[in-house]
Amino acid sequence: MFGATRISHHFRDCELHFHSFGVAFTFHTFHLSFPPRPTRPCLLTNRIATTTAGNRSRIPSSKCYSGTPSMSSGEIPLLFDCFSQQEDEREIVSDGVSAVAGGVVALGKFDALHIGHRELAIQASRAGPPFLLSFVGMAKVLGWEDRAPIVAKCDRKRVLSSWIPYCGNMVPEEFQIEFSSVRHLSPQQFVEKLSKELKVRGVVAGENYRFGYKAAGDALELVKLCEEYGMEAYIIKSVMDKNQYSANISSSTGSKERGQVSSTRVREALAVGDVRYVSELLGRQHRLVLQANDREKFSFSQYKVSAPKSCLLNLAPKEGLYEKCSLLLGQENVMLCRVIIDSKFVHIETDYGGQSDIFGTHNLQYLHIEFGNSST
């Protein structure tokens, strides 16, 4: 969203600014040239990085990750505690010092935290401390129907931490602005807010990003305005979904998507129960989080634990049987399971019956389920 001295112009007519993915995809990043600053992890100047899944080009003279780094399972936190929802509240803009001051913000909705969102975070990390800047309260202001999030609120920190190897060993942080406070801002007023109030150094946006009142501003205007306000702007191309099956989903649901990876595609894949495709779009297995409360409890038997759907904290795949899943009961307690989702309950079946301590004291407050690539 921010500007600088010059930028390569090559925008394609796609629809999104923060969608991503890569079973196989090409990813072009258009950078602005600036004199290097020693405080940055790295700075890319007028370079184009072409990426294909599993084989991403390394950008010369750069210490940033430009591809998928190798890592062992021990390098990524397996489970973050969801015991306190308040601990995971994202900071809302208020009077005082901006938490994103001096950083580079990626702009988008970031519902699914899919691979396209990760690419935005990667680009932001190449220019400075990375932040994901989004708006809260849009549904209420615009009269949209509430819907379950793709990623449980208390699980977002874990997902973002898994991006550390891609983002120069930095964890992208989330920062949210009340939508009502920016809804009526013109494109220039919005960029001015980013510069003068939030004091960010630069922004990353997709080629189809639109901003300002009634989406009046586009990526080109964003670059121009950012230059006027002395900010850096990084415009990236949409990450396209090469999965042939995705076209069938989009056409059958009447989606307006034009082939880029998006949170909408993730929702559509979950709606038809295609967890393999969901994993490809997310770049990880979909994790379902359930929380017991005073009114709704988990029920346990020798081989099985069941939870009412009212315990769900995020979006589940459609009703059906899912094999080769994992049940996570802690950092070190992971067991293979199968999951059966019906109209009222989520049932988790294991082959570990007879072990009296398999579910601890049966006072579990949270259940975490990761879906494998098998469903019926």
Side-chain angles (χ1 to χ4, degrees):
M1 300 184 108
F2 309 43
T5 51
R6 63 179 179 269
I7 184 170
S8 300
H9 299 289
H10 181 48
F11 295 96
R12 189 181 48 217
D13 185 22
C14 295
E15 188 186 52
L16 230 242
H17 34 292
F18 44 80
H19 296 330
S20 70
F21 173 45
V23 180
F25 60 80
T26 300
F27 175 80
H28 299 286
T29 307
F30 301 90
H31 310 281
L32 308 172
S33 62
F34 301 91
R37 301 179 185 178
T39 57
R40 299 180 189 177
C42 68
L43 182 60
L44 309 180
T45 58
N46 292 333
R47 301 173 188 169
I48 297 178
T50 301
T51 307
T52 55
N55 183 23
R56 305 183 180 182
S57 59
R58 180 178 179 84
I59 299 178
S61 303
S62 170
K63 295 182 180 180
C64 291
Y65 291 101
S66 59
T68 304
S70 60
M71 55 191 175
S72 65
S73 59
E75 291 179 287
I76 293 180
L78 179 63
L79 180 68
F80 271 91
D81 292 335
C82 290
F83 297 116
S84 174
Q85 293 287 334
Q86 293 180 348
E87 290 179 0
D88 289 282
E89 289 288 348
R90 305 304 167 200
E91 187 164 3
I92 306 296
V93 173
S94 59
D95 293 337
V97 179
S98 167
V100 296
V104 178
V105 296
L107 302 163
K109 292 182 180 177
F110 305 109
D111 180 14
L113 294 178
H114 52 62
I115 291 184
H117 296 152
R118 189 177 72 188
E119 293 293 348
L120 285 176
I122 290 172
Q123 178 56 40
S125 71
R126 289 169 175 166
F131 293 88
L132 306 184
L133 190 152
S134 58
F135 306 113
V136 293
M138 290 185 67
K140 182 178 180 181
V141 172
L142 300 176
W144 295 348
E145 182 180 352
D146 288 336
R147 56 183 183 176
I150 294 173
V151 181
K153 185 176 182 180
C154 63
D155 196 37
R156 294 178 68 86
K157 188 181 295 184
R158 176 192 66 87
V159 175
L160 292 175
S161 292
S162 73
W163 294 357
I164 289 175
Y166 303 89
C167 296
N169 291 320
M170 293 181 285
V171 181
E173 296 186 30
E174 295 196 279
F175 192 76
Q176 296 180 334
I177 299 176
E178 287 288 349
F179 179 66
S180 59
S181 71
V182 298
R183 180 186 184 186
H184 296 291
L185 296 183
S186 67
Q188 180 173 354
Q189 289 172 328
F190 179 68
V191 173
E192 183 178 19
K193 180 182 181 72
L194 294 174
S195 173
K196 294 186 177 180
E197 182 179 331
L198 299 185
K199 302 185 184 304
V200 300
R201 191 172 79 230
V203 298
V204 179
E207 60 184 338
N208 300 291
Y209 186 73
R210 303 199 66 90
F211 65 105
Y213 185 55
K214 294 185 177 181
D218 60 11
L220 288 175
E221 184 170 6
L222 178 61
V223 171
K224 177 183 176 182
L225 289 171
C226 287
E227 182 175 2
E228 292 178 6
Y229 284 91
M231 294 186 295
E232 304 166 12
Y234 300 83
I235 304 300
I236 69 173
K237 294 180 71 66
S238 300
V239 180
M240 306 308 290
D241 177 12
K242 302 301 182 181
N243 191 321
Q244 217 30 56
Y245 176 63
S246 66
N248 298 331
I249 291 182
S250 295
S251 61
S252 64
T253 58
S255 173
K256 297 180 181 179
E257 301 289 327
R258 299 182 182 180
Q260 70 273 16
V261 173
S262 66
S263 296
T264 297
R265 284 179 180 247
V266 176
R267 287 183 178 276
E268 291 171 349
L270 286 170
V272 298
D274 191 343
V275 292
R276 180 190 297 273
Y277 181 37
V278 171
S279 296
E280 293 174 350
L281 294 171
L282 296 179
R284 63 183 186 277
Q285 291 183 330
H286 180 56
R287 181 176 290 196
L288 196 62
V289 182
L290 301 100
Q291 179 186 19
N293 52 55
D294 293 338
R295 299 181 60 183
E296 302 287 358
K297 303 290 186 181
F298 302 147
S299 59
F300 300 88
S301 62
Q302 187 176 13
Y303 296 92
K304 181 177 177 181
V305 57
S306 299
K309 277 189 167 181
S310 57
C311 294
L312 289 170
L313 297 184
N314 61 316
L315 187 62
K318 79 166 189 177
E319 297 174 12
L321 169 63
Y322 298 88
E323 302 278 2
K324 300 179 181 179
C325 299
S326 299
L327 175 63
L328 300 94
L329 300 175
Q331 291 287 86
E332 300 178 357
N333 196 351
V334 182
M335 64 186 76
L336 293 177
C337 65
R338 67 191 67 86
V339 177
I340 301 98
I341 301 177
D342 60 31
S343 60
K344 295 183 178 180
F345 290 89
V346 177
H347 306 281
I348 303 109
E349 298 180 349
T350 75
D351 294 324
Y352 296 91
Q355 300 184 32
S356 59
D357 62 344
I358 198 64
F359 294 119
T361 62
H362 292 193
N363 288 325
L364 292 174
Q365 185 182 3
Y366 290 90
L367 293 173
H368 295 246
I369 303 166
E370 286 193 348
F371 288 84
N373 294 327
S374 176
S375 60
T376 57

